[in-house]
Amino acid sequence: MELVNSVTSGMRPYPMEELARIKAGLSKAGKPIFDFGTGDPKIPTWDPIRDALLKAVPQISQYPSVRGTDALRESQWGYLGRRFGIHRSADIGIIPAQGTKEAIFNIGLCLVGREGKRHLVYPDPGYPVYRASALYAGGIPYPVRVTRETNFRLEPWKLPAEIQKSTAAIWINHPHNPTGATASYEYWQQIIDWCHKTNTILLSDDCYVDIYDAELDSGVNNDPRKDRMPLTPLQQSSDRVLTFMSLSKRSGLTGYRSGMIAGDARIINSILQARANFGVGSPDFIQAAATVAWDDEHHVQERRKIFTHRLKLAAPYLEKLGLLESRPEAAFYLWCQIPKSFQGDDVKFILALAEHGIITSPSSWLSEGLKGYFRLAMVPDDKSTVEAMEILSKFVAQNS
Ligand SMILES: Cc1ncc(COP(=O)(O)O)c(C=O)c1O
């Protein structure tokens, strides 16, 4: 008897039980745990954001609108103008999201099948929700392995002609989770041109667009290097382009569930109607907090300093061990090779390392088939990062 459909029964749960068992054992033994697993840093929320939320909690609760408040849209336009030079235009629409995860998942329902096209193309390794979105929408997931040779950039023009023709939408994610690779203006132009030529919707997952080297803020050595700040393709075209931007990494509001979809007004207006059915209106008090968060850059600069510092603390250890080929251009992850002695078995490696209190993610959990790598999210504080790197160095030395 099938109680759920085959997409649901076929969902591969992360094989986390083993990791959970190890963590529970460490806790019971009173041993420290250094959790570099999930990209959810524990940094206190900037006070004005919390204050705005608390002040906006109403006496009488009412349904929020999916369109969002005018005040929120104002501050989002302000942000897009300040950060990317994208100015208010009738060609571009903006709607709030309950975090970008739901928006990434739900957009598949709106796009799969357009013009008879059913493929959703996305980078691998990458964020697992692209695949789930395609499957639940009755589409066909099409992961494309991205490698160091192209700086982890997906090149859809190299795909088989029939796939290029049948792609309803393509996910591009720069800064890229897990590698931190960024994209250039020229690359974005190539992608936009390809999307226009093949009539494909460009979905840009810009979740990490504000997490970059803090030195770019201070203008160290008087070097503006503005072009090293991550870009969004919406700067270059809005025609069949949507960007998904989040307050989770920019402002550390993972628990608030707040982001936005911005782009081609024709698509935004259509998905607004669809989203009214999805039940994804962002609560008004969250929107009030989000308005403050999009309006301010200072707290984001402070967060960049924290992540840049942590990356600088950890990277030399991994380089010395020969596990880190290159430092990330942006985001807050270190994408490393596992030691040769583990013969490509990344799950075995991360479980053995977890026994020493260091939790990381193996490439097998971020990919459909890529083995031999692991990801560290810069979640633990400075002191814990250094302590963990010392333990990791000893562990690798003992196991090589
Ligand atoms: C690449 C990428 N996209 C989107 C998300 C979703 O973020 P949120 O739903 O918190 O906005 C994440 C979360 O880690 C991510 O890594």
Side-chain angles (χ1 to χ4, degrees):
M1 185 170 44
E2 287 184 350
L3 294 175
V4 294
N5 62 27
S6 60
V7 176
T8 304
S9 56
M11 275 289 132
R12 293 168 303 188
Y14 289 152
M16 293 241 180
E17 297 84 28
E18 186 64 9
L19 199 55
R21 190 191 58 73
I22 294 171
K23 274 166 98 171
L26 290 165
S27 293
K28 212 169 149 199
K31 293 200 177 138
I33 297 176
F34 306 94
D35 199 342
F36 295 87
T38 309
D40 192 1
K42 299 176 195 72
I43 299 169
T45 303
W46 187 46
D47 279 343
I49 297 176
R50 287 185 63 222
D51 294 346
L53 176 117
L54 294 171
K55 242 172 76 186
V57 174
Q59 254 182 344
I60 299 171
S61 164
Q62 302 241 264
Y63 285 116
S65 77
V66 283
R67 189 171 173 274
T69 64
D70 288 342
L72 175 60
R73 218 171 359 270
E74 272 305 304
S75 81
Q76 289 167 331
W77 274 121
Y79 164 75
L80 291 173
R82 216 168 47 239
R83 171 71 173 83
F84 302 107
I86 299 169
H87 298 293
R88 195 184 307 260
S89 129
D91 295 334
I92 298 178
I94 308 180
I95 42 179
Q98 271 187 15
T100 48
K101 186 177 196 172
E102 69 78 4
I104 289 170
F105 180 83
N106 285 317
I107 195 72
L109 296 169
C110 303
L111 300 181
V112 166
R114 58 173 286 273
E115 308 234 323
K117 298 165 181 243
R118 292 189 50 222
H119 283 95
L120 279 192
V121 172
Y122 55 87
D124 177 301
Y127 189 50
V129 183
Y130 310 138
R131 177 174 184 274
S133 167
L135 287 174
Y136 273 104
I140 306 168
Y142 199 87
V144 178
R145 180 61 48 81
V146 289
T147 63
R148 196 167 290 283
E149 281 66 54
T150 60
N151 197 23
F152 302 102
R153 291 172 189 170
L154 200 165
E155 298 186 332
W157 43 88
K158 292 187 178 159
L159 297 177
E162 65 276 14
I163 300 297
Q164 295 193 42
K165 244 194 253 157
S166 65
T167 298
I170 183 170
W171 283 106
I172 303 287
N173 169 224
H174 290 290
H176 177 223
N177 173 8
T179 66
T182 60
S184 63
Y185 186 92
E186 291 72 28
Y187 171 77
W188 280 125
Q189 197 56 53
Q190 273 180 300
I191 287 286
I192 290 166
D193 292 346
W194 177 83
C195 283
H196 290 170
K197 191 172 127 215
T198 57
N199 186 11
T200 303
I201 307 294
L202 171 53
L203 304 171
S204 183
D205 180 350
D206 291 329
C207 190
Y208 296 94
V209 78
D210 282 335
I211 307 300
Y212 51 82
D213 188 343
E215 280 193 8
L216 296 177
D217 288 321
S218 56
V220 167
N221 298 329
N222 244 359
D223 174 3
R225 291 185 293 171
K226 282 282 183 217
D227 58 339
R228 276 190 51 207
M229 276 160 65
L231 308 169
T232 172
L234 197 58
Q235 290 169 283
Q236 289 161 247
S237 174
S238 63
D239 180 3
R240 282 162 283 183
V241 174
L242 294 180
T243 158
F244 295 70
M245 292 185 177
S246 177
L247 289 175
S248 291
K249 319 293 170 175
R250 172 185 156 80
S251 302
L253 300 185
T254 46
Y256 286 48
R257 312 311 301 129
S258 186
M260 66 162 139
I261 316 173
D264 193 321
R266 297 166 302 177
I267 307 176
I268 291 286
N269 288 336
S270 300
I271 65 174
L272 195 56
Q273 306 300 324
R275 286 173 63 81
N277 294 281
F278 298 167
V280 286
S282 176
D284 286 345
F285 42 92
I286 297 292
Q287 292 192 54
T291 303
V292 173
W294 290 114
D295 261 341
D296 181 76
E297 294 303 327
H298 183 71
H299 76 284
V300 190
Q301 288 171 6
E302 293 303 308
R303 289 175 63 77
R304 278 195 284 271
K305 278 188 207 155
I306 292 172
F307 298 130
T308 301
H309 189 62
R310 288 182 190 172
L311 286 165
K312 273 198 187 137
L313 285 176
Y317 286 92
L318 295 151
E319 283 166 343
K320 202 165 156 204
L321 295 167
L323 304 183
L324 183 66
E325 259 181 71
S326 62
R327 294 195 185 188
E329 292 167 307
F332 51 51
Y333 299 112
L334 288 169
W335 182 241
C336 305
Q337 283 169 319
I338 64 166
K340 292 212 169 48
S341 54
F342 282 84
Q343 297 177 334
D345 192 340
D346 45 275
V347 175
K348 185 174 167 200
F349 170 74
I350 71 104
L351 291 177
L353 185 60
E355 298 281 6
H356 296 259
I358 301 174
I359 311 299
T360 58
S361 302
S363 51
S364 304
W365 296 359
L366 301 161
S367 161
E368 285 152 62
L370 179 64
K371 291 192 169 292
Y373 295 84
F374 69 109
R375 188 195 74 180
L376 291 148
M378 288 297 116
V379 175
D381 63 20
D382 291 0
K383 188 169 162 287
S384 305
T385 297
V386 171
E387 220 173 302
M389 289 306 111
E390 296 283 352
I391 296 170
L392 186 140
S393 299
K394 270 195 211 127
F395 170 79
V396 173
Q398 279 161 7
N399 286 279
S400 55

